[in-house]
Amino acid sequence: MSFTEASLFWGFLLVYGIVMYALSPRSKNPASFYKGADDHGNPVGQWSLTASIFISWIFAKSVTNAANLGEAYGVVGGLAYATYWLSIPVAGYVIYLIRTQTGATSLQEFITSRFGRLASLSFAAAILIRLYNEVWSNTAVVGGYFGLPGDWEYYTAAMLFTFFTLAYSLKGGLRSSIFTDVIQSVVFVFFIGAVLFLIIPANDPATLLTTGEFRLNAGMDLLLVAGLQIFSYPFHDPVMTDRGFVNKEKAMLKSFVVAGLLGFVAVFTFSLVGVHAQLNGIDAAGNAPAAVGQALGLTALFFMSVIMMTSAGSTLDSTFSSLAKSLAVDLPKLVRRTAERLPSMRVGATVMIIFSILGNLPMFAGTDILKATTISGTMVMGLAPVFLFYGFTRWSPWSFHLSFWTGLGLGLLLATGLIPASWAIGDGAYGTLLGVNAYGFLICTAGFFAPLALRRLTGRADAISELS
């Protein structure tokens, strides 16, 4: 980096951190810190909630992945990754049904009431793994705009970014997260527009929007994977699902639908950065936004870094607030059957500090940010039957476990390369991933319904309940 570049990038990082801390509200009570209410107990407004869902799910790793897939497969790759944002309306509708039909005030409470405490503990473990991955996978993307892995600039920027985000998260918890999400949404959309202003004139728009082929070995396999995972993937991410319980049911559902559609458009639009790289022969080297920014000049690279910082910040502060709620509120309530009274804000703050340190350790070891999405999404495929078909049972712990652990087992086999080649659907790069998700969904669904079918066949519901 030249002195001018260093001044611009490091200067923005410092200004960003100071401004976010200065503007974020301070929570004065646990309801505000853990549930996002204002000082008078009023819930989050609908449009603030919409903006928060929209930007908190636009992860830094996500827009990077979208651009990389655009560079590899054209618009098919962009559509494949953008499809994950249809998870948001799916989750919103399911949470709407859960709230109106069961009266549950959280997904943990819902799972406990239908499938037992052991099921809820298993679900909590999946949530914590997901949240843990969100820390390093976002801070690493920000660090990549200041240096390469191994460089002191890379690690310093990532840790400084973590510190700034932690500071304003400690100040206000979920309330601070949602408030800053609105600001980050505006900044993100503005700079996305600025990047497109640089890219679209440099290409023929028709070519830009038609590059790619809808074939299994040209990105279509990943598009189908995303289409399957949207029914399981969102439910192990409290960054989104926690926001499903902070407003009235209908207002919440509208926010989720609008945020999901906006997210789909935003992510697909940003994938055109990668398509531009493909059309112009730019070597993405695993980071298409940075490569395109460097090719277009300092202004474009700076715009890319701003997009990454705002998207990473919105996700990271949401991750901290979700970790605080999961470990300070939900898990103790599950394990010890505690009262409804919320714990001190100090407990949640301690959780945030611990995970700000532990969550960055994988960054120093080196990891693949795309695998943080595709592999974790496969491991939780067993959640799809649990949330889609819960209406078929009032109490069936075995249904949860046969579905959830089967999906987890298949995900682990995939991650360790033990899935037979015969499972692949097509000969594309994601053929095996598609096969595992397609066949796995059927196997997990069969596992979910097996105890219910056995009850009906034997007429001995009590016998199965006792086994649970």
Side-chain angles (χ1 to χ4, degrees), residues 186 226 338:
V186 174
T338 58

Side-chain angles (χ1 to χ4, degrees), residues 417-432:
L418 296 177
I419 294 294
S422 58
W423 278 53
I425 297 178
D427 58 355
Y430 302 99
T432 302

Side-chain angles (χ1 to χ4, degrees), residues 104-191:
T105 59
S106 69
L107 291 187
Q108 291 278 33
E109 181 182 318
F110 160 73
I111 289 179
T112 303
S113 67
R114 293 269 172 160
F115 306 106
R117 296 175 68 198
L118 181 57
S120 196
L121 284 170
S122 302
F123 180 65
I127 284 176
L128 290 178
I129 293 172
R130 162 72 179 186
L131 291 174
Y132 182 81
N133 281 336
E134 286 307 318
V135 179
W136 64 262
S137 59
N138 281 281
T139 58
V141 172
V142 173
Y145 283 82
F146 292 82
L148 296 174
D151 294 343
W152 70 266
E153 295 94 341
Y154 174 87
Y155 297 115
T156 301
M159 296 310 296
L160 189 59
F161 177 76
T162 301
F163 171 77
F164 284 141
T165 308
L166 175 65
Y168 73 76
S169 297
L170 292 173
K171 185 179 177 183
L174 183 57
R175 183 185 178 193
S176 179
S177 174
I178 292 175
F179 181 87
T180 54
D181 282 346
V182 176
I183 300 172
Q184 289 157 338
S185 294
V186 174
V187 175
F188 176 84
V189 170
F190 175 82
F191 280 93

Side-chain angles (χ1 to χ4, degrees), residues 1 5 7-17 20 55 58-60 63-64 138 141-146 161 180 183-195 270 289-290 293 297-315:
M1 265 190 189
E5 292 172 335
S7 300
L8 185 62
F9 282 76
W10 289 102
F12 178 80
L13 178 57
L14 292 172
V15 170
Y16 169 83
M20 287 295 103
I55 193 63
I58 305 283
F59 318 128
V63 288
T64 300
N138 281 281
V141 172
V142 173
Y145 283 82
F146 292 82
F161 177 76
T180 54
I183 300 172
Q184 289 157 338
S185 294
V186 174
V187 175
F188 176 84
V189 170
F190 175 82
F191 280 93
I192 280 279
V195 167
F270 194 79
L298 179 59
T299 300
L301 185 59
F302 176 68
F303 288 172
M304 296 292 187
S305 69
V306 172
I307 289 171
M308 294 305 160
M309 285 187 210
T310 53
S311 58
S314 67
T315 302

Side-chain angles (χ1 to χ4, degrees), residues 224 270 323 340 344 367 415 421 424 435 462:
L224 294 175
F270 194 79
L323 279 166
E340 290 298 317
S344 164
T367 46
D462 291 340

